[in-house]
Amino acid sequence: MQMSIEKLVSKGLHTMSELSLNEIDWILHEAEAFSKGTSWRPADQTFVANLFFEPSTRTKMSFEVAERKLGLEVLAFDGETSSVQKGETLYDTAKTLESIGAKALVIRHPKSKYYEELEDRLTIPIINAGDGCGQHPSQSLLDLLTIKQEFGTFKGVRVVICGDLRHSRVARSNAEILTRLGAKVLISGPMEWMEGFSDMYPYVSMDTAVERADVIMLLRIQNERHEGGPMSSGELYHLQHGLTIAREANMQRHSIIMHPAPVNRGVEIASELVECRRSRIFKQMENGVFIRMAILKRALQNL
Amino acid sequence: MQMSIEKLVSKGLHTMSELSLNEIDWILHEAEAFSKGTSWRPADQTFVANLFFEPSTRTKMSFEVAERKLGLEVLAFDGETSSVQKGETLYDTAKTLESIGAKALVIRHPKSKYYEELEDRLTIPIINAGDGCGQHPSQSLLDLLTIKQEFGTFKGVRVVICGDLRHSRVARSNAEILTRLGAKVLISGPMEWMEGFSDMYPYVSMDTAVERADVIMLLRIQNERHEGGPMSSGELYHLQHGLTIAREANMQRHSIIMHPAPVNRGVEIASELVECRRSRIFKQMENGVFIRMAILKRALQNL
Amino acid sequence: MQMSIEKLVSKGLHTMSELSLNEIDWILHEAEAFSKGTSWRPADQTFVANLFFEPSTRTKMSFEVAERKLGLEVLAFDGETSSVQKGETLYDTAKTLESIGAKALVIRHPKSKYYEELEDRLTIPIINAGDGCGQHPSQSLLDLLTIKQEFGTFKGVRVVICGDLRHSRVARSNAEILTRLGAKVLISGPMEWMEGFSDMYPYVSMDTAVERADVIMLLRIQNERHEGGPMSSGELYHLQHGLTIAREANMQRHSIIMHPAPVNRGVEIASELVECRRSRIFKQMENGVFIRMAILKRALQNL
């Protein structure tokens, strides 16, 4: 283990697919250590900039807590009241932050693969906090940590990813990485939202999903990402595809519920279940801080 | 004194009425000590989140300075560019901040008694920085500190609360707590704005108020809270109910002027009087930092 | 040198013209020392407030990095979501920040000479980060530092200021201070934008400018400050007055390119030249942090 740590160079994180299983293991291990109180700080005063070009309280705050726990100086860049209004390119904004001293950039941007125009042109690592309809690797990793804490392994764990897979930033990468790690992935939800998944993963109805799953991994209905669509009402969705109180009663004794939040109460999940004994929703948020600490340590440790 | 301090448990602050006179005394005493340079910091790195769902530079900045003077890590949550846009409930937002590590929440929210849906469901204290047309206890306490610094006691001090009492967050709680502390409270202003006060406190005209008061406690005309109303023009209000230069000349030698700010110059008070020798307006702001340090210490000291 | 340092009192910075050549020399010297790793911090916890009433990522972030490198506590005041909405005057906002503990204010404001209503009424220094169409002294000083690093002196250095001089915050003050320091200043750009300059500084076409200049100092086309105007298209401007690839090829071997950024790529300068070997554009940004550290040290060192 020690050797593979030594070999890691300072680097960013754009997608889950760029990580080897060893690297994932290292990140989960570090995050777990942070959750138990291990601390790490860079030797010198170190600036990190958070560039959020889309609103996201949860992710932004989680990164910020992670950064401050590592003793970093956080530059909060608000993409909506900035020079970007003056037509500046993302590259010029990023290069500016590098010039004034940022040692890493955490970026959320509505453009998919925005990082491609940055890599090789900046010398500092980019940590992707969400790119368009692309990926959200820190979310994927906190999902992995939550599953590993629960089952001790990924091998054979049956995960049903439920809901709006097509518009999700984590559905595809979670499905892929869980499969690589030995888990069994199934999918559930409106057929229109299974596009690109239904030929690769078994489809089950929500009634079947709750009976078979070790993990019910709910996705957020991204109302802001598509108009109209198959669901004309939240209540109807809830009855057909949501985690109702009745369905939860049919889950296996050891099974858990996950959701990246923010939750649409009464749509993806009954409001009463958000904090039920199976729910790991707020545990996921806690884990998010530790995962992000590990990602940042990985990016900064060889400065 | 030491014993009552020991007995205090970590707790939030929602209203003035929940505070015993002993607790008020403790807060004023601690604030006074902070104003003289006493310092206190929690043993470990401690995060506090400020959630302002209404704009308020003054209160937000004052809490932030207080927090940083206590060495706290401040998470600034802007209610207007957040997941709240995605329809998240206040509870879910608050619970998220608790999950990622906040040890106390300072909240301003347009809904009166917003804290009722949070208490008993969160394990961390809520400090109310203003709820709808409800209360604003840190403002009330800084008003008390300013009066106590001036007169050494509350007993027999004659305080005239002037202006828009009905829409004020502090008028009712200040009137109640000052009465409990032994002060003599009177009211002044347009009769339409005395509703709910005029049967409990003696009404005086502004001309009489200035002659009798030890403290002229002006309230801000909350233009943003009511349309139309009895005052069609700021100048007219100033002549009828404001603290004019002529009225100030009739105040007693020892009397002081207070106002929570921001001031509408030329409406509640003549612009020339904002920094006159009687004015404690900027003193109140200074005191606000020390009061908030005391409130935060009270909330965090037994972690 | 030591003596002139001792004599400096804590003070703000509003315009370049208020600085003696000795003071400029001191600031450049301090900034150069900061760039080489010298550190300085005030003895006690010190708050500084940044009040930006106009969006400016670059300048705001640069000041913030400078402040944090000096160990200062930064209060970020956003002029667009603040009590200013309630009609509060700039003076009352500034006085509030002084009252709650700020030891210096960094202000950008759309009103020219906004600082005149503040000086003599506040006891803390104001650092001007841009006033209307007035000045932007920290930008001027970082320009000076960049030139001095390159040529070791200002005497005889030929600087051509190119572009929208009339609307620029730095054109006039840079022209004046460079002349005072012994440099030779020329101007270039659309004649309509030379108003107020063409009788004092030799005008050259851009083709001549590139041949003669030691420094091509480009200005940003401030699209947001004037409507219509002589340039109907960015491409046309680029051909007539911009730094094209062809023109760059005619520059002298030792000559450099400067631009305050953000750059309009393909307008003031060909996109390919933004990071060419002559470009000091990102070096200017780096220098901005060190210049602002020096300005802040000057303002705070005698507290």
Side-chain angles (χ1 to χ4, degrees), chain A residues 57-58 68 265 275 282, chain B residues 45 73-74 88 91-92 96:
Chain A
T57 309
R58 193 173 312 277
R68 303 240 217 130
R265 287 172 176 264
E275 293 180 71
F282 291 105
Chain B
Q45 188 186 38
E73 300 277 356
V74 184
E88 191 177 45
Y91 171 73
D92 285 344
T96 296

Side-chain angles (χ1 to χ4, degrees), chain A residues 41 55-58 61-62 64-65 68-69 108 220 224 262-265 274-275 282 285-286 289, chain B residues 45 47 73-78 81-86 88-89 91-92 95-97 99-100 121:
Chain A
R41 294 192 165 208
S56 171
T57 309
R58 193 173 312 277
M61 287 279 172
S62 179
E64 191 168 335
V65 172
R68 303 240 217 130
K69 283 187 171 228
R108 166 165 290 198
R220 178 178 165 77
E224 61 277 21
V263 167
N264 292 304
R265 287 172 176 264
V274 171
E275 293 180 71
F282 291 105
M285 291 180 206
E286 282 180 46
V289 172
Chain B
Q45 188 186 38
F47 286 83
E73 300 277 356
V74 184
L75 295 170
F77 174 94
D78 178 358
T81 62
S82 75
S83 287
V84 177
Q85 290 179 333
K86 301 184 188 174
E88 191 177 45
T89 64
Y91 171 73
D92 285 344
K95 183 76 181 171
T96 296
L97 288 160
S99 298
I100 65 175
R121 298 178 69 195

Side-chain angles (χ1 to χ4, degrees), chain B residues 122-174:
Chain B
L122 296 178
T123 63
I124 56 174
I126 306 294
I127 295 168
N128 182 10
D131 64 299
C133 286
Q135 294 221 1
H136 188 4
S138 63
Q139 178 71 42
S140 294
L141 285 160
L142 76 86
D143 290 341
L144 294 185
L145 179 60
T146 307
I147 293 170
K148 188 166 184 203
Q149 284 170 340
E150 200 68 33
F151 300 101
T153 180
F154 298 99
K155 296 220 189 317
V157 175
R158 199 179 300 254
V159 181
V160 188
I161 306 179
C162 309
D164 187 358
L165 278 69
R166 195 176 57 173
H167 294 92
S168 167
R169 274 170 172 151
V170 293
R172 181 169 313 281
S173 51
N174 278 12

Side-chain angles (χ1 to χ4, degrees), chain B residues 187-250:
Chain B
I187 58 176
S188 183
M191 286 308 298
E192 298 88 327
W193 287 346
M194 300 298 115
E195 191 186 315
F197 288 85
S198 49
D199 49 348
M200 302 177 63
Y201 304 97
Y203 178 87
V204 289
S205 71
M206 198 60 186
D207 290 322
T208 305
V210 292
E211 290 172 6
R212 294 217 201 142
D214 298 308
V215 178
I216 289 287
M217 180 179 278
L218 301 168
L219 300 176
R220 177 177 165 78
I221 304 298
Q222 308 249 355
N223 291 314
E224 60 275 23
R225 283 198 187 277
H226 46 75
E227 307 114 26
M231 179 194 65
S232 59
S233 112
E235 282 180 35
L236 185 61
Y237 179 88
H238 188 59
L239 287 175
Q240 292 184 336
H241 302 289
L243 187 59
T244 59
I245 293 174
R247 286 194 182 107
E248 187 270 344
N250 288 332

Side-chain angles (χ1 to χ4, degrees), chain A residues 1-13 18-31 34 40 125 141 293-303:
Chain A
M1 191 56 170
Q2 190 56 32
M3 267 179 28
S4 69
I5 293 174
E6 299 281 354
K7 278 188 222 159
L8 286 168
V9 293
S10 295
K11 54 187 161 185
L13 178 59
E18 78 200 35
L19 293 174
S20 69
L21 295 188
N22 269 348
E23 285 176 304
I24 289 170
D25 200 52
W26 182 87
I27 291 169
L28 298 183
H29 181 270
E30 288 289 319
F34 281 129
W40 175 83
L141 286 161
M293 290 173 78
I295 292 169
L296 286 156
K297 177 179 174 184
R298 179 171 172 266
L300 297 169
Q301 67 183 350
N302 294 333
L303 279 187

Side-chain angles (χ1 to χ4, degrees), chain B residues 41 55-58 61-62 64-65 68-69 108 220 224 262-265 274-275 282 285-286 289, chain C residues 45 47 73-78 81-86 88-89 91-92 95-97 99-100 121:
Chain B
R41 295 191 165 209
S56 171
T57 309
R58 194 175 310 275
M61 287 279 171
S62 179
E64 190 169 336
V65 172
R68 303 241 216 129
K69 282 186 171 228
R108 166 164 292 198
R220 177 177 165 78
E224 60 275 23
V263 167
N264 292 304
R265 288 172 177 263
V274 172
E275 294 179 70
F282 291 104
M285 292 180 204
E286 283 179 46
V289 172
Chain C
Q45 188 186 39
F47 287 82
E73 300 278 356
V74 184
L75 295 170
F77 175 95
D78 179 358
T81 62
S82 74
S83 286
V84 176
Q85 290 178 333
K86 301 185 189 173
E88 191 178 45
T89 64
Y91 170 74
D92 284 343
K95 183 75 182 170
T96 296
L97 288 159
S99 298
I100 65 176
R121 298 178 71 196

